Amino acid sequence: MSQLLEAITCPVLPAPMAGGPTTPELVAAAEAAGSFGTLGLGSSSVDAAREAIAACADTRFGVNLFYPQRELTESELAAARSLAAEEDAVLGDVPLDFGWQDKLDAALDGGAAVLWSMFGVFEEADVARIHAAGAEAWTTVTTPEEAQAAAARGVDVLCVQGPEAGGHRGVWDPSAEPDPRPLKELVAAVHQVTGIPLIAAGGLRTAEDVAEALAWPGVEAVSCGSAFLLSDEAGTSEHNRGLLRRGGRTVSTRAFSGRYARGLETAYTRVHPDLPLVYPYLNALLKPRRAQLDADVDYCLVGVDVEKIGGGSVAEILAQLHPNGHE
């Protein structure tokens, strides 16, 4: 059993959302409400990661990191160059390791209670370091096979992420088609192959959704990201707050970043429904248009049932999702 999951009084965890929404203020608010928050630092610079970690010095917190991305194949690179030509741009050098080791060091030095990997799993030596620091190693998985591999590395908790989740799907093989099974089926399949505590994630919007997920075998907590995008403490941009309030259809596609992610449908996602793996080059190519708030290439990652997302403080949202959270 995870000592951290045993210690919290509210088993609803605000998900680590990279790119700004999960702020140190959100993490602190979750801790104050009996939950546990994790910084989403996968896409941040190393300096920005250090600043966010330092801002959590007086809080029990976690750090979520992106596992290094493999080199693209020649055909994938050719597709990326073709997209660059569409944008009248040149494909530049993009780091594929996300500052993984430097951020891991900064998180351990900064006193993180949890190190949480996305897109892959820690090496055994990393897990040993994490445990030696008195912290826990968590990993996002999307298949039973990933769960077995993570368990073999000695991780403490598995976050099982279903297809309804907003943001990036945490598949380890970036060229693979994500497992389409609904969250309940995916959790059951993972529980069959490992006894590690599970966190269920993806599309949980109401107290009824949360209560059902917490009753599934092996599930000790749930992770909700989209539910907190409009929270007072979130770093969600005003532009994206407006898009979320307006709502709309969400799609899971590589056309947001080059990796599978779920977000609000745009003209670009409709024109490029079958984009190959071009991550992480696509964001850099579309950055100028996004900076100008070009609606055709909006980048508002969010899960299903956008109309069910409301505002308020983190504490208020947690109380709505788990009314008995302080018992």
Side-chain angles (χ1 to χ4, degrees), residues 96-108:
L96 300 177
D97 70 351
F98 307 110
W100 165 266
Q101 198 60 57
D102 287 339
K103 292 176 185 176
L104 183 61
D105 293 345
L108 290 173

Side-chain angles (χ1 to χ4, degrees), residues 167-178:
H168 282 96
R169 192 79 191 275
V171 290
W172 293 9
D173 177 358
S175 63
E177 289 294 312

Side-chain angles (χ1 to χ4, degrees), residues 87 281-293 297:
E87 300 299 320
Y281 296 95
L282 187 59
N283 275 342
L285 293 176
L286 297 180
K287 186 175 181 179
R289 291 171 65 185
R290 285 173 173 161
Q292 295 170 1
L293 303 182
V297 292

